[in-house]
Amino acid sequence: MIGCLIAFLVLVVSAFIALNVMGYAPPGVMLGLIGGGLLALITIGPLAFVLRPVQERCTIRSTDPVFAFR
């Protein structure tokens, strides 16, 4: 999920730059790009914070006694 949000953020930034360079920058489009980019950026932080403990719980550590006998 985080990778998709980062890819979306990269697309938003590149579209923002391309539209400014081409001179096509109506307020509605720019506000939409800025809003979408900020929403993705704001979502990445809490999502990474919430998913981190889940990832640590799902991994098998080498100190696990069952893992030592495999």
Side-chain angles (χ1 to χ4, degrees):
M1 283 190 283
I2 294 174
C4 289
L5 283 171
I6 291 173
F8 176 74
L9 191 60
V10 168
L11 287 173
V12 165
V13 169
S14 63
F16 187 82
I17 292 170
L19 289 174
N20 276 328
V21 168
M22 291 174 34
Y24 181 75
V29 173
M30 290 296 129
L31 287 175
L33 284 173
I34 292 170
L38 284 175
L39 184 64
L41 189 62
I42 290 170
T43 306
I44 289 172
L47 192 61
F49 183 72
V50 168
L51 290 179
R52 184 71 173 179
V54 173
Q55 180 186 9
E56 289 176 358
R57 245 184 310 169
C58 294
T59 57
I60 298 174
R61 294 185 175 87
S62 61
T63 60
D64 188 11
V66 176
F67 184 75
F69 293 109
R70 289 184 190 172

